[in-house]
Amino acid sequence: MAKRIEFAANGGPEVLKYVDFTPKQPADNEVLVANKAIGINYIDTYVRSGLYPTPSLPSGLGTEAAGIVEKVGAGVTHINVGDRVVYAQSPLGAYSDYHCVAADKVAKLPDAISFEQAAASFLKGLTVYYLLHMTYQVKPGETILFHAAAGGVGKIACQWAKALGVKLIGTVGSAGKAAQAKQDGAWATINYQEEDIAKRVSELTNGEKVNVVYDSVGKSTWLASLDCLRPHGLMVSFGNASGPVTGVDLGILNQKGGLFVTRPSLGNYITTKQLLQHAANELFSMIASGAINVDVAPTQQFPLKDAVRAHQALESRITSGSSLLIP
């Protein structure tokens, strides 16, 4: 019998249950993937908690994994049984031995990239790709601010920015995470537990501040992020780790320099299989060249049955970079 993680009520990590299930047959234009490594993402905690409501309960969890195609549905011509693949935009339920995914949301995985590397990097890497190349196109020599620089997305962003010649200032919550971010390629770090973010950004940029702030933290960094921007700068709010930004008085954007704000997501940008494959190829090229290292420490690889422990570790902020579930 196949196994998966599901939850029947919203709440903390303890609502996640390891249960038996019967995998579905792939529908038209779908493939059934036997997962070999499953990506854990902070957005999964939003779904579990109810911040992002599910269509119904009980529900599966997770949208990202890498594995081998077990079956293909009618109409699928570009993916074959036995192909190594990775996906990051599936219906909820990737925390599972098997998962059905739309074929257009699946990318073929080069032999040079392991299942673990793919599952650890695909959603986060595609996120960094659209942030740095599409939401705002960063330029060599430019200084940017990126919050949570030692997290899963931040770790890849530090490396990708360095490869592009961009000076990334990363915010972190401890000295250890500051060291990690610097090792990953951050130009400078700010420990928000000890330093005033906006003041330090001003010091690091000789008072010029930055054109763009990438903020996945949300509520607790909203005002500090705005204070780091030059006039007409862009605030990219792409996550809610500290809670959602609500009740915004748009007048504050005028007061702080006629600022721009956007709330993007991967689904807004990677909208076709052609865009997906292009972004995937860019990511895989960076990994294969060694510019981006996405290897996951053994201590952050959890058996699928230990999803509760994995979420506890993620939310306690003791992890760095990506974490995985292994069926």
Side-chain angles (χ1 to χ4, degrees):
M1 183 66 75
K3 294 284 192 177
R4 76 170 193 157
I5 297 295
E6 67 177 40
F7 60 105
N10 296 120
E14 69 281 354
V15 302
L16 301 178
K17 306 299 179 187
Y18 183 59
V19 301
D20 293 328
F21 87 113
T22 301
K24 295 189 303 179
Q25 295 297 312
D28 292 357
N29 301 308
E30 285 187 342
V31 296
L32 177 67
V33 180
N35 292 332
K36 300 302 180 184
I38 299 160
I40 302 172
N41 296 286
Y42 213 92
I43 194 172
D44 301 342
T45 70
Y46 302 160
V47 174
R48 187 207 70 223
S49 71
L51 177 63
Y52 291 177
T54 56
S56 61
L57 292 172
S59 173
L61 190 61
T63 61
E64 176 182 38
I68 298 173
V69 175
E70 189 92 355
K71 297 178 182 178
V72 299
V76 178
T77 57
H78 65 293
I79 302 288
N80 298 305
V81 171
D83 281 351
R84 302 173 76 250
V85 296
V86 59
Y87 59 88
Q89 295 172 284
S90 77
L92 292 174
Y95 286 21
S96 178
D97 287 340
Y98 297 91
H99 194 36
C100 283
V101 187
D104 285 355
K105 298 297 185 183
V106 167
K108 288 188 178 181
L109 190 60
D111 290 339
I113 310 297
S114 71
F115 293 123
E116 291 79 11
Q117 287 175 315
S121 68
F122 203 52
L123 180 60
K124 301 172 185 71
L126 293 183
T127 297
V128 173
Y129 174 80
Y130 87 73
L131 289 173
L132 299 187
H133 291 277
M134 301 175 80
T135 306
Y136 175 91
Q137 192 159 0
V138 297
K139 298 171 283 295
E142 184 173 24
T143 304
I144 66 174
L145 179 65
F146 206 104
H147 287 292
V153 173
K155 184 178 179 69
I156 294 175
C158 286
Q159 297 176 81
W160 208 321
K162 183 179 181 181
L164 294 173
V166 173
K167 298 188 214 176
L168 183 147
I169 302 171
T171 69
V172 294
S174 69
K177 289 192 173 184
Q180 179 64 58
K182 289 295 288 288
Q183 183 179 325
D184 289 330
W187 174 69
T189 58
I190 300 171
N191 184 342
Y192 58 77
Q193 303 282 11
E194 300 174 353
E195 299 175 279
D196 180 286
I197 295 172
K199 181 181 177 183
R200 188 67 184 126
V201 165
S202 184
E203 291 171 353
L204 288 166
T205 60
N206 295 317
E208 293 186 3
K209 303 186 180 181
V210 297
N211 286 325
V212 63
V213 174
Y214 295 104
D215 190 341
S216 62
V217 178
K219 182 178 179 180
S220 69
T221 50
W222 166 252
L223 289 176
S225 291
L226 298 183
D227 285 335
C228 294
L229 286 164
R230 296 172 184 165
H232 312 151
L234 176 63
M235 166 68 169
V236 183
S237 178
F238 70 101
N240 316 287
S242 68
V245 177
T246 58
V248 176
D249 176 1
L250 292 180
I252 198 171
L253 304 179
N254 174 45
Q255 295 163 17
K256 294 184 181 293
L259 304 178
F260 293 86
V261 176
T262 185
R263 179 60 176 87
S265 68
L266 182 64
N268 297 148
Y269 281 95
I270 307 299
T271 53
T272 67
K273 66 182 178 183
Q274 290 82 6
L275 277 172
L276 177 67
Q277 196 61 59
H278 174 75
N281 290 345
E282 292 289 317
L283 173 63
F284 296 150
S285 175
M286 296 291 271
I287 294 171
S289 73
I292 293 178
N293 174 18
V294 293
D295 293 335
V296 178
T299 55
Q300 288 180 211
Q301 297 188 37
F302 302 86
L304 178 59
K305 65 183 177 63
D306 288 346
V308 170
R309 188 161 59 90
H311 272 229
Q312 288 170 338
L314 184 66
E315 292 186 305
S316 70
R317 313 283 187 190
I318 62 173
T319 63
S320 176
S322 300
S323 297
L324 296 174
L325 294 171
I326 306 297

